[in-house]
Amino acid sequence: MASVYIPVQNSEEEVRVSLDQLPRDASDILDILKAEQAPLDLWLIIAREYFKQGKVDQFRQILEEGSSPEIDEYYADVRYERIAILNALGAYYSYLGKIETKQREKEEHFILATQYYNKASRIDMHEPSTWVGKGQLLLAKGEVEQASAAFKIVLDGDRDNVPALLGQACVEFNRGRYSDSLELYKRALQVYPDCPAPVRLGIGLCRYKLGQFEKAQQAFERVLQLDPENVEALVALAIMDLRTNGAAGIRTGMVKMQRAFEIYPYCAMALNYLANHFFFTGQHFLVEQLTETALAVTNHGPTKSHSYYNLARSYHSKGDYDKAGVFYMASVKEVNKPHEFVFPYYGLGQVQLKLGDFRSALSNFEKVLELYPDNCETLKALGHIYVHLGQTDKGQEFIRKATKIDPRDAQAFLELGELLILSDTGAALDTFKTARTLFKKGGQAVPIELLNNIGVLQFERGEFELAQQTFKEALGDGIWLSFTNKENKPSVDAATSTLQFKDMQLFHDLERNGHHVEVPWDKVTVLFNLARLLEQLNESGTASILYRLILFKYPDYVDAYLRLAAIAKARNNILLSIELVNDALKVNDKCPNALSMLGELELKNDDWVKAKETLRAASDATDGKDSYATLSLGNWNYFAAVRNEKRNPKLEATHLEKAKELYTRVLIQHSANLYAANGAGVALAEKGHFDVSKDIFTQVQEAASGSVFVQMPDVWINLAHVYFAQGSFSLAVKMYQNCLRKFYHNTDSQILLYLARTHYEAEQWQDCIKTLLRAIHLAPSNYTLRFDAGVAMQKFSASTLQKAKRTADEVRTTVAELQNAVRIFSQLSAASNLHIHGFDEKKIDTHVGYCNHLLSAAKVHLEAAEHEEQQVRHTQELARQVELAEAKRRKAEEDSKFQLERRKQEEELRRVQQQEEHFKRVREQWKSSSHSRRRERSDDEEGGASEKRKRKSGKKRKKDKHSKSHYDTEETEGYMVDEQEIADGDADLYDREPQMNNDAEENAQDLLAAAGLEDSDAEDEMAAPSSSIARRRQALSESDDDEPLMRQSSPIRENSTDMQLESDGEIGDRDKTNGDNAGEED
Amino acid sequence: MAQRAAKNKKENQYFAMKLAGLKSVDNAHDDSVWAVTWVPATANRPPLLLTGSLDETVRLWRSDDLVLERTNTGHCLGVASVAAHPLGSIAASSSLDSFVRVFDVDSNATVATLEAPPSEVWQMRFDPKGAFLAVAGGGSASVKIWDTTTWELFVTLSIPRPEGSKPTDKSGSKKFVLSVAWSPDGKRLACGSMDGTISVFDVLRAKFLHHLEGHFMPVRSLVYSPYDPRLLFSASDDGNVHMYDAEGKALIGTMSGHSSWVLCVDVSPDGGAIATGSSDRTVRLWDLNMRASVQTMGNHTDQVWGVAFRPPGGTDVRNGRLASVSDDKSISLYDYS
């Protein structure tokens, strides 16, 4: 065992001090040292030994005693040892200062250290070790340049001074001149091959920084050979292991890291890496502990930044965005330039995005993008932000770039698709499909939202089968299968409750039978969309069950109520429909869709005042921004204007003006709103501006035909009305027929009536009658149609009789038609009732009277015609007889024997002929007189009638127009609603995707605007919403729309029947006048 | 009967039912064809197809080639309904002028001309035994039952007014009767009206029994199952076909699929399927076990106003036949198996 020998003063003896048995109390040793005036190097050795043994206090005590003034005095000439003691103390305090984290104490240590070094310098200015110590002190203080100067002084004196070399290497390292640093380390090693491990550590670090990883690793390993507990080397090696990114590398790296931690738990670097590791393993508690410790033990900017970053990340992943934001911010503050450590910028950007601070997020992401211009995540994030900021194009550009850089990033395609929905559904669908393929290829589950969006787009494009498949794929397995699968139907007797729209018994029963009735929240939208699609496919029963399933689990799902109401409405069950809408309003009494629908239903129920209030409420609920509510109000005003038979011109004008104003308001908000344009056209037509309105209608029609989704029969009808009003009957007929076939499956008796009217005006009586018969067949209980048919027959007969030339067949047909007319009228007089049908027996009796009159006249005509025919036949017969007779006569002439007889015969013949001629003449006279008489009469009739007709027809046309336009506008509105609903549905979709929320709202708005252009037929037919899938998605939630449509159209129909009555009345009047005329003639 | 139904069920599980187009006659009439029925076979001839049209004629066709046998004229306004006596000897046709013409199928001799003003005439049906002819009376809110031996009006079955309604109600509280159907045992008669309600009568006691609710749009066609006197099918403008337990007043099922009005419905002689025709221009075949549409025929180009399964009986009628008529003036014949 090593010992020192303290020579006993004035003797040859020595006191042996065993170094491993130093007394605990340093005073004992000090006493000896002092008493024996031991050489100072012994003091140093003993102090160092104490230090090595970790007895720092004793170490300090001895050195402080050894540097005390009395020692200085006593050993004044022993310069080197005194310096060494001072330097040791300086180095000690430097070290204390270096590891001290509290600023004030740190400063104090450094001051003490500086004092000792200065003292040493005063003893000998040129002592290199003092300079080295000073250099180290300066390094510790971070004053790199001064440190370098100190080392240089030493190196200038002795270029192989190892400590100075090391210090200078350290300086160069800190300056970032790693190769210079490496050279210095190498020289130090050459000069002093046995130098301690840290030299090699420096070499390793330099090589690491220079990218020479293998050599760096060798160096670190050498360090560990020399000093197995060298924390820095362990950490460095661990980092290098972690860098390999392989599972094995990470494992060995973590083992090393842990060892480093066990050896020295306060190494910030190791703490950070451990924290990093535990972040990935999800042990957030450890992450926080480690990083907090790391933060406590270091002042080094980048390391602190890293620690803050770890901490922020941990909070971020836990969803504590506020805290995460604070720590990201702290991390960013520790970083001078983004390129040093860019991650916190990204994290900060993410958190700001989450917290809605788009501008700040934007600048942070842009910093990241500067460094990594091809980073997909950043591009996507930027894309999102731009979309949120309303710069959709820029957003699209970024996301598109992301998809180009990584064509396998399904998420990017997904986002791109969502953006494209706004502008180009086809491209959006393609993009979504690409995303789906990518997800599938990657073996990942395809997100439900993606499938839903695809489904909705397919729905909007009319690819119902595909859409159904997609929705079913999105839904996967669940209770709904027992309702949607045909094969399973018998197991659930679903059909029985199809009509009980509010019946939830079915689901209770299922639960009781052990079925698990569960609808995951993320599938509700898909389920709703599927139901909407089923409606479109006319599977309204199944759709109703699905809606109820949604309501069973989510009783606040307003759209489901509205769709159920729409189905009820499509089935004409108005009361139930109103009840369902009221249920929806119970959930949200401000829901504009529900209010609009209720308004429509009330209109349908003929509850005008209530309807107006409800529509107002709907409009108020959306601050007048809801085009549908505004349009509805416009329509209400329009109907009000044309509603009454006895119109008040003032009121009518006011209502019309108001309607026009409302339509115009919508047009200002959404210049592409077809329905508003249609309404405006109607209002104009109402005022007689046919040319302008025709232009408007034509444009609307063109716009509507541009998309498969928009169905606007109204505009077709309106256009036809305008043609009709302008006298272009054949065009009007074509337009009506096309509309009927295209939109109504030929089932709309109202349009048939319009058609018949057009035929009537065009004097195409047979077409008119046939058309009316078809209408009667479709709407048997509409007696007005019969009345009209009777009138048409009467008119037809009258006009035939007026013809100058007609065959007996024609007259016979006329008589038959007259008989039919009489029968129809007499049936009507028995079956109808003024209150219900608007015509009374008197009027009918007049018609019957006139028809009978015509009939009797026709009978005369018929007789005449038949007589004429007979005559012709008779004359022919006579001629033949004459011929025969002549032949006989010739024979007789030949026969001279009978000449006399022949002469007699001739005479007789002549006499007969004379008689005949006379008869003929008489007859002709009679005939011509009757002819003229007939003609006169018919002229009179015609004149009177046509005049009247002209007058009346103007009025009539107007009325018809009104009714038609009403009808149209109402329908339009319905469509609008559908679109809106669809949009809502879409919005729901988007909501599911957190990043897209804002977009969705905007989308919805855009969609609404677009709705005008992009209505989906499907919805209308379904009488449902959603078409849009947004718009596109819309298709799904259309039900509401459809319902309103239905509602709307029904009041229209009523109106139009009123109109018809009126027009019928007019016809009746006209006929009456005709009848009168005829009577006068008689 | 239940056993038989069960047997049918079984069969249906083994054989998928289907329709196959056999023959189509374009321009079978000069205008829309609105009515169709099969005249059952008699001893000397096979069953015939009877059609009525807006062109005011009634025509007889021999299947399967659909050769025109005869054209009956005499109606004014369109022919809206035709009916055939179960024995096949006589038939009735009616037109919008509300005259019913009863005629001998083979000779076209007029047997009787019926009218009961102010009652209109819509759908007509002979009862299964052929003793009565039921005529839907339109706005008279009644069904007229004619005795087929005397051709006198036997009884008028009126739908009672709902309580509390005033005769002047604008909505028209009267039921406008469009369609009629006899139960297979002839004891019950159901009629459908414009407002969607179906009324059930006890014929022998001439008594109104109850309403069947569920539709709210016109019910243009009704038919009872041939085996189950309680089971009634109804076709409505709401696009749905309903199945009712006509005795229990219960709606058993709803079949949806048509995209527009369902204008007509008929049940197959085996009771396992129904066929419907719709304004959406299609004829659909529905499997009653699955309660789902199993086939959709799209050969017509306009509304399909009538479908009729050929009744069993006679010679060479082993195969099922379905006929459909349409606004497109054509008649189509399908093989049903």
Side-chain angles (χ1 to χ4, degrees):
Chain A
M1 182 91 285
S3 337
V4 280
Y5 297 90
I6 302 171
V8 177
Q9 206 176 17
N10 303 328
S11 81
E12 292 301 306
E13 288 176 42
E14 292 170 325
V15 178
R16 195 176 69 103
V17 180
S18 171
L19 285 181
D20 53 352
Q21 286 174 346
L22 287 171
R24 185 174 294 184
D25 189 353
S27 308
D28 295 353
I29 287 277
L30 269 178
D31 287 346
I32 297 174
L33 288 172
K34 278 187 193 164
E36 305 303 335
Q37 295 180 352
L40 280 177
D41 62 329
L42 281 182
W43 293 54
L44 200 56
I45 288 168
I46 290 169
R48 211 182 281 145
E49 193 53 42
Y50 272 120
F51 185 78
K52 276 186 191 160
Q53 291 175 12
K55 294 172 178 162
V56 178
D57 286 339
Q58 289 86 337
F59 161 80
R60 214 174 51 212
Q61 196 181 354
I62 290 173
L63 286 186
E64 273 167 3
E65 202 67 31
S67 61
S68 62
E70 48 184 292
I71 297 289
D72 282 352
E73 230 171 88
Y74 189 83
Y75 293 95
D77 50 343
V78 193
R79 294 173 62 178
Y80 179 77
E81 277 76 10
R82 277 165 56 206
I83 290 170
I85 288 175
L86 286 170
N87 282 354
L89 276 170
Y92 171 67
Y93 281 109
S94 299
Y95 169 75
L96 281 185
K98 201 167 157 188
I99 59 166
E100 180 58 62
T101 50
K102 285 178 195 146
Q103 203 57 38
R104 214 163 54 93
E105 280 144 42
K106 197 179 184 103
E107 290 289 311
E108 279 171 8
H109 290 309
F110 282 141
I111 288 167
L112 273 176
T114 316
Q115 280 171 1
Y116 284 118
Y117 281 127
N118 284 345
K119 209 168 165 189
S121 280
R122 275 200 297 277
I123 296 171
D124 182 356
M125 267 290 287
H126 301 292
E127 175 53 45
S129 59
T130 311
W131 284 113
V132 170
K134 275 188 174 175
Q136 294 289 4
L137 174 62
L138 289 166
L139 257 186
K141 284 162 85 177
E143 295 163 20
V144 178
E145 292 308 317
Q146 286 176 18
S148 171
F151 292 130
K152 247 192 187 147
I153 290 171
V154 180
L155 287 175
D156 285 348
D158 175 9
R159 61 181 296 270
D160 286 340
N161 183 306
V162 173
L165 279 173
L166 293 181
Q168 187 65 14
C170 194
V171 167
E172 297 296 345
F173 189 89
N174 276 358
R175 282 172 172 170
R177 296 188 205 149
Y178 303 118
S179 52
D180 290 351
S181 173
L182 182 60
E183 283 309 310
L184 289 165
Y185 278 125
K186 276 185 179 164
R187 216 162 79 207
L189 201 57
Q190 280 165 2
V191 174
Y192 180 51
D194 291 336
C195 66
V199 177
R200 294 181 186 277
L201 185 69
I203 290 175
L205 287 174
C206 285
R207 292 213 184 266
Y208 179 84
K209 284 285 182 190
L210 289 169
Q212 302 162 340
F213 298 121
E214 275 192 30
K215 284 189 173 169
Q217 193 168 2
Q218 282 170 7
F220 292 133
E221 275 162 5
R222 180 91 182 98
V223 173
L224 284 180
Q225 278 173 13
L226 294 171
D227 175 7
E229 302 215 329
N230 187 306
V231 174
E232 280 88 352
L234 268 175
V235 171
L237 274 175
I239 291 174
M240 288 176 71
D241 280 340
L242 290 177
R243 277 180 52 97
T244 61
N245 244 350
I250 290 175
R251 208 171 306 123
T252 57
M254 281 322 292
V255 169
K256 286 181 182 130
M257 211 51 105
Q258 241 153 343
R259 249 195 81 210
F261 177 74
E262 279 157 17
I263 294 165
Y264 179 66
Y266 301 111
C267 171
M269 187 75 81
L271 290 170
N272 276 343
Y273 273 96
L274 282 170
N276 189 34
H277 176 75
F278 287 124
F279 173 77
F280 284 113
T281 58
Q283 289 152 289
H284 295 296
F285 176 72
L286 285 174
V287 174
E288 278 156 37
Q289 290 241 308
L290 291 167
T291 46
E292 268 158 22
T293 317
L295 283 172
V297 300
T298 185
N299 270 330
H300 183 241
T303 312
K304 276 182 98 169
S305 166
H306 202 113
S307 304
Y308 280 128
Y309 173 67
N310 272 339
L311 205 49
R313 222 161 33 150
S314 168
Y315 283 117
H316 190 167
S317 71
K318 285 198 295 190
D320 187 345
Y321 298 118
D322 289 324
K323 262 193 181 155
V326 170
F327 286 117
Y328 277 131
M329 201 67 105
S331 176
V332 166
K333 266 188 202 150
E334 296 290 342
V335 183
N336 301 323
K337 289 176 192 155
H339 69 260
E340 285 176 358
F341 188 47
V342 83
F343 298 141
Y345 286 93
Y346 188 80
L348 186 57
Q350 280 183 316
V351 170
Q352 284 164 338
L353 186 60
K354 268 277 188 295
L355 299 175
D357 183 358
F358 298 121
R359 302 262 164 214
S360 315
L362 184 66
S363 76
N364 283 318
F365 280 123
E366 269 173 350
K367 273 176 199 150
V368 178
L369 195 67
E370 262 173 48
L371 281 179
Y372 301 101
D374 287 348
N375 183 294
C376 286
E377 294 301 323
T378 315
L379 284 170
K380 282 190 286 182
L382 278 171
H384 277 313
I385 294 171
Y386 277 117
V387 172
H388 279 283
L389 293 174
Q391 292 163 284
T392 317
D393 291 345
K394 224 167 170 187
Q396 228 176 66
E397 195 182 298
F398 274 109
I399 294 182
R400 210 183 278 276
K401 198 173 162 199
T403 60
K404 267 186 199 140
I405 290 166
D406 183 1
R408 279 167 306 174
D409 185 346
Q411 200 65 38
F413 277 103
L414 184 72
E415 282 160 24
L416 182 59
E418 272 158 16
L419 286 181
L420 283 171
I421 282 175
L422 291 178
S423 51
D424 181 351
T425 46
L429 182 58
D430 289 345
T431 314
F432 281 140
K433 279 181 178 163
T434 313
R436 179 172 63 174
T437 321
L438 288 172
F439 276 122
K440 279 185 179 158
K441 260 190 199 157
Q444 302 179 56
V446 185
I448 293 174
E449 301 85 36
L450 173 60
L451 288 172
N452 187 37
N453 282 355
I454 293 178
V456 171
L457 285 172
Q458 286 167 333
F459 189 174
E460 283 188 358
R461 289 160 63 100
E463 299 163 358
F464 300 133
E465 290 298 321
L466 285 174
Q468 196 172 4
Q469 278 170 21
T470 314
F471 285 140
K472 282 187 175 162
E473 187 186 337
L475 283 172
D477 213 10
I479 188 74
W480 44 82
L481 282 184
S482 45
F483 308 120
T484 53
N485 270 14
K486 282 177 183 167
E487 287 70 26
N488 292 347
K489 252 184 188 168
S491 69
V492 182
D493 200 8
T496 49
S497 68
T498 355
L499 284 185
Q500 273 62 58
F501 282 75
K502 302 175 79 176
D503 183 18
M504 297 293 177
Q505 192 59 39
L506 167 66
F507 307 117
H508 290 298
D509 287 350
L510 271 177
E511 276 193 332
R512 205 169 306 125
N513 293 342
H515 289 83
H516 198 48
V517 180
E518 201 48 68
V519 182
W521 64 269
D522 55 344
K523 290 185 176 167
V524 176
T525 307
V526 188
L527 201 57
F528 181 86
N529 286 344
L530 178 61
R532 188 72 196 73
L533 178 67
L534 286 171
E535 268 188 81
Q536 182 69 50
L537 293 170
N538 303 311
E539 305 264 6
S540 56
T542 317
S544 142
I545 293 176
L546 292 184
Y547 289 133
R548 271 179 284 148
L549 176 61
I550 293 174
L551 289 176
F552 181 63
K553 282 289 164 192
Y554 303 88
D556 287 353
Y557 203 96
V558 172
D559 283 346
Y561 279 117
L562 293 182
R563 288 313 309 164
L564 279 176
I567 296 176
K569 185 164 175 262
R571 296 183 185 210
N572 210 19
N573 194 343
I574 305 300
L575 291 180
L576 177 61
S577 190
I578 289 179
E579 200 180 321
L580 286 162
V581 175
N582 280 329
D583 282 347
L585 286 173
K586 266 180 219 154
V587 176
N588 175 6
D589 63 356
K590 287 266 187 293
C591 172
N593 285 346
L595 284 171
S596 297
M597 186 151 175
L598 186 60
E600 301 297 339
L601 283 168
E602 282 163 353
L603 260 188
K604 185 155 186 164
N605 235 5
D606 219 18
D607 210 340
W608 284 74
V609 182
K610 232 181 179 177
K612 189 178 183 184
E613 274 168 19
T614 314
L615 290 174
R616 276 250 171 83
S619 186
D620 290 346
T622 55
D623 290 331
K625 279 178 194 142
D626 185 302
S627 339
Y628 182 75
T630 317
L631 272 178
S632 299
L633 273 177
N635 286 350
W636 188 93
N637 275 295
Y638 179 75
F639 300 146
V642 295
R643 174 168 188 241
N644 280 321
E645 261 179 74
K646 291 165 200 153
R647 288 190 229 163
N648 177 341
K650 243 192 206 167
L651 261 180
E652 186 187 337
T654 326
H655 281 311
L656 262 185
E657 200 46 53
K658 180 84 186 155
K660 197 179 149 205
E661 182 199 317
L662 288 163
Y663 292 138
T664 318
R665 197 192 295 163
V666 176
L667 271 181
I668 289 168
Q669 280 171 1
H670 304 287
S671 56
N673 190 315
L674 288 182
Y675 304 102
N678 188 38
V682 170
L684 281 168
E686 203 64 46
K687 291 180 170 176
H689 306 304
F690 293 136
D691 288 329
V692 186
S693 61
K694 188 155 86 181
D695 282 350
I696 293 178
F697 292 141
T698 315
Q699 280 178 24
V700 173
Q701 191 191 20
E702 270 168 27
S705 59
S707 156
V708 250
F709 296 113
V710 187
Q711 296 252 312
M712 281 190 68
D714 322 312
V715 76
W716 290 64
I717 299 174
N718 284 338
L719 207 49
H721 284 325
V722 175
Y723 282 134
F724 174 80
Q726 292 186 328
S728 318
F729 297 130
S730 60
L731 278 175
V733 166
K734 254 184 212 148
M735 198 60 86
Y736 286 134
Q737 281 172 340
N738 284 338
C739 175
L740 198 56
R741 195 175 49 238
K742 210 172 155 178
F743 301 106
Y744 295 104
H745 295 290
N746 286 343
T747 55
D748 194 293
S749 59
Q750 190 63 38
I751 299 177
L752 279 173
L753 180 66
Y754 298 145
L755 193 55
R757 250 205 77 57
T758 316
H759 283 309
Y760 187 91
E761 287 302 321
E763 307 197 357
Q764 296 155 332
W765 312 117
Q766 285 303 331
D767 288 338
C768 175
I769 293 167
K770 279 272 162 70
T771 308
L772 284 169
L773 287 180
R774 272 178 214 282
I776 294 170
H777 194 220
L778 285 168
S781 60
N782 187 344
Y783 286 108
T784 324
L785 293 171
R786 290 162 193 259
F787 185 91
D788 292 350
V791 171
M793 289 169 188
Q794 171 191 313
K795 188 69 198 149
F796 162 70
S797 311
S799 72
T800 314
L801 289 181
Q802 282 159 12
K803 281 205 286 194
K805 275 194 177 172
R806 62 217 175 278
T807 61
D809 273 347
E810 273 181 342
V811 182
R812 262 194 288 276
T813 326
T814 306
V815 170
E817 290 290 24
L818 275 173
Q819 279 164 345
N820 286 335
V822 171
R823 185 166 169 81
I824 285 180
F825 285 129
S826 40
Q827 274 185 345
L828 278 178
S829 71
S832 74
N833 155 331
L834 175 64
H835 290 288
I836 300 175
H837 305 294
F839 37 79
D840 55 12
E841 284 182 35
K842 250 196 201 164
K843 200 187 273 175
I844 294 170
D845 287 345
T846 323
H847 279 282
V848 172
Y850 177 57
C851 285
N852 280 330
H853 159 76
L854 272 185
L855 204 52
S856 54
K859 271 177 189 150
V860 178
H861 289 302
L862 185 61
E863 277 164 28
E866 278 172 359
H867 195 76
E868 218 172 299
E869 264 183 0
Q870 266 179 1
Q871 251 182 305
V872 173
R873 236 176 286 137
H874 192 66
T875 330
Q876 280 169 350
E877 180 70 10
L878 267 182
R880 206 163 48 100
Q881 277 179 1
V882 172
E883 235 174 75
L884 277 175
E886 253 172 34
K888 269 184 201 163
R889 197 182 53 198
R890 237 174 281 137
K891 237 183 181 178
E893 266 173 11
E894 276 169 21
D895 196 356
S896 56
K897 281 177 193 169
F898 292 102
Q899 274 193 354
L900 271 175
E901 269 189 18
R902 200 204 309 161
R903 218 170 289 141
K904 245 188 225 169
Q905 269 185 338
E906 272 182 4
E907 260 174 62
E908 228 178 282
L909 193 72
R910 216 174 293 139
R911 206 185 51 206
V912 170
Q913 274 177 338
Q914 270 176 352
Q915 266 182 348
E916 270 212 29
E917 262 171 45
H918 174 75
F919 181 58
K920 242 188 205 167
R921 226 175 295 131
V922 170
R923 212 188 292 151
E924 248 160 42
Q925 263 179 342
W926 181 71
K927 195 164 119 192
S928 66
S929 76
S930 79
H931 255 294
S932 60
R933 203 180 132 192
R934 193 200 302 150
R935 215 171 290 142
E936 258 178 83
R937 192 191 58 190
S938 58
D939 281 352
D940 279 2
E941 272 185 39
E942 263 195 55
S946 61
E947 243 178 77
K948 276 246 166 156
R949 186 177 47 189
K950 265 179 206 159
R951 246 182 288 138
K952 297 240 164 168
S953 65
K955 239 198 216 167
K956 241 194 240 173
R957 276 178 206 161
K958 212 181 167 187
K959 279 182 189 175
D960 273 356
K961 233 189 208 167
H962 287 302
S963 63
K964 283 180 187 179
S965 29
H966 283 304
Y967 184 73
D968 287 355
T969 40
E970 286 190 8
E971 293 208 324
T972 356
E973 285 195 333
Y975 286 118
M976 293 292 288
V977 177
D978 285 352
E979 292 210 20
Q980 276 181 264
E981 289 205 54
I982 293 179
D984 288 353
D986 290 349
D988 282 348
L989 287 177
Y990 284 120
D991 283 347
R992 297 286 137 77
E993 306 172 357
Q995 296 198 323
M996 297 299 285
N997 280 350
N998 289 342
D999 290 357
E1001 281 178 37
E1002 285 173 36
N1003 285 356
Q1005 285 291 341
D1006 287 356
L1007 286 172
L1008 279 181
L1013 288 163
E1014 305 208 356
D1015 249 353
S1016 66
D1017 295 345
E1019 290 194 346
D1020 289 328
E1021 294 193 0
M1022 298 169 62
S1026 338
S1027 83
S1028 309
I1029 290 190
R1031 55 167 345 156
R1032 309 89 211 290
R1033 315 138 206 206
Q1034 355 159 301
L1036 305 176
S1037 51
E1038 288 162 1
S1039 54
D1040 286 335
D1041 297 339
D1042 286 349
E1043 294 198 346
L1045 215 166
M1046 300 288 282
R1047 235 180 274 140
Q1048 286 183 333
S1049 58
S1050 62
I1052 292 177
R1053 295 222 174 164
E1054 285 182 29
N1055 283 347
S1056 45
T1057 43
D1058 284 346
M1059 302 288 292
Q1060 247 189 299
L1061 287 180
E1062 281 192 57
S1063 62
D1064 290 344
E1066 289 182 1
I1067 296 181
D1069 286 351
R1070 196 204 294 160
D1071 291 344
K1072 211 175 179 179
T1073 50
N1074 284 353
D1076 289 350
N1077 286 347
E1080 280 171 35
E1081 272 211 35
D1082 281 353
Chain B
M1 205 139 312
Q3 270 180 351
R4 226 152 163 193
K7 199 181 148 209
N8 283 332
K9 227 177 219 174
K10 226 176 189 177
E11 277 172 6
N12 286 330
Q13 279 167 355
Y14 294 128
F15 306 106
M17 54 188 62
K18 71 166 197 195
L19 292 177
L22 281 180
K23 170 92 183 169
S24 232
V25 182
D26 292 332
N27 295 314
H29 279 270
D30 301 334
D31 215 323
S32 304
V33 191
W34 281 349
V36 64
T37 195
W38 286 91
V39 182
T42 59
N44 7 355
R45 61 154 173 76
L48 294 173
L49 191 66
L50 186 66
T51 59
S53 158
L54 174 59
D55 69 6
E56 304 180 355
T57 64
V58 173
R59 293 184 182 184
L60 275 163
W61 310 81
R62 188 151 30 88
S63 73
D64 284 340
D65 302 321
L66 294 182
V67 178
L68 180 61
E69 283 270 293
R70 197 176 59 234
T71 300
N72 297 349
T73 56
H75 278 292
C76 295
L77 313 186
V79 177
S81 178
V82 290
H85 192 275
L87 296 180
S89 51
I90 57 172
S93 56
S94 74
S95 50
L96 293 185
D97 63 5
S98 298
F99 278 115
V100 179
R101 174 172 181 261
V102 184
F103 58 95
D104 185 288
V105 175
D106 295 315
S107 68
N108 194 26
T110 301
V111 175
T113 303
L114 312 175
E115 67 167 326
S119 183
E120 296 143 60
V121 173
W122 291 95
Q123 202 183 20
M124 308 180 295
R125 288 278 177 83
F126 282 97
D127 87 301
K129 298 190 178 73
F132 302 109
L133 175 66
V135 177
S140 67
S142 65
V143 177
K144 307 279 178 194
I145 309 282
W146 299 85
D147 189 320
T148 56
T149 49
T150 62
W151 295 112
E152 296 288 326
L153 187 60
F154 174 70
V155 70
T156 298
L157 303 175
S158 290
I159 302 174
R161 277 174 189 283
E163 279 170 39
S165 72
K166 287 166 237 153
T168 52
D169 257 358
K170 174 127 187 172
S171 58
S173 55
K174 279 170 119 184
K175 309 268 183 194
F176 191 103
V177 182
L178 275 177
S179 49
V180 288
W182 292 91
S183 67
D185 55 13
K187 289 178 183 161
R188 295 281 183 271
L189 184 128
C191 68
S193 16
M194 281 298 280
D195 66 356
T197 54
I198 296 164
S199 311
V200 181
F201 294 94
D202 179 333
V203 183
L204 295 179
R205 291 190 291 152
K207 200 181 153 215
F208 166 80
L209 295 178
H210 50 253
H211 290 303
L212 303 174
E213 281 168 4
H215 291 298
F216 293 89
M217 287 168 88
V219 174
R220 292 180 192 267
S221 182
L222 284 170
V223 65
Y224 272 95
S225 160
Y227 293 120
D228 185 348
R230 297 167 70 107
L231 189 56
L232 178 70
F233 303 95
S234 63
S236 165
D237 285 4
D238 63 15
N240 297 306
V241 174
H242 284 182
M243 281 169 75
Y244 289 97
D245 174 354
E247 294 296 296
K249 288 177 68 173
L251 176 62
I252 307 171
T254 297
M255 288 172 279
S256 48
H258 280 299
S259 60
S260 188
W261 301 358
V262 186
L263 300 171
C264 49
V265 58
D266 197 15
V267 63
S268 68
D270 60 20
I274 59 169
T276 54
S278 160
S279 291
D280 67 10
R281 304 170 187 178
T282 62
V283 172
R284 275 179 188 252
L285 184 70
W286 308 76
D287 184 323
L288 292 179
N289 284 330
M290 290 162 63
R291 287 190 189 169
S293 168
V294 289
Q295 202 175 356
T296 304
M297 310 295 290
N299 49 318
H300 285 297
T301 58
D302 210 334
Q303 322 190 48
V304 179
W305 278 106
V307 288
F309 280 104
R310 185 167 68 182
T315 53
D316 81 307
V317 283
R318 242 161 288 132
N319 300 320
R321 290 286 181 269
L322 175 74
S324 64
V325 297
S326 157
D327 257 355
D328 66 7
K329 306 175 191 174
S330 74
I331 303 174
S332 285
L333 188 68
Y334 316 87
D335 176 68
Y336 164 74
S337 53

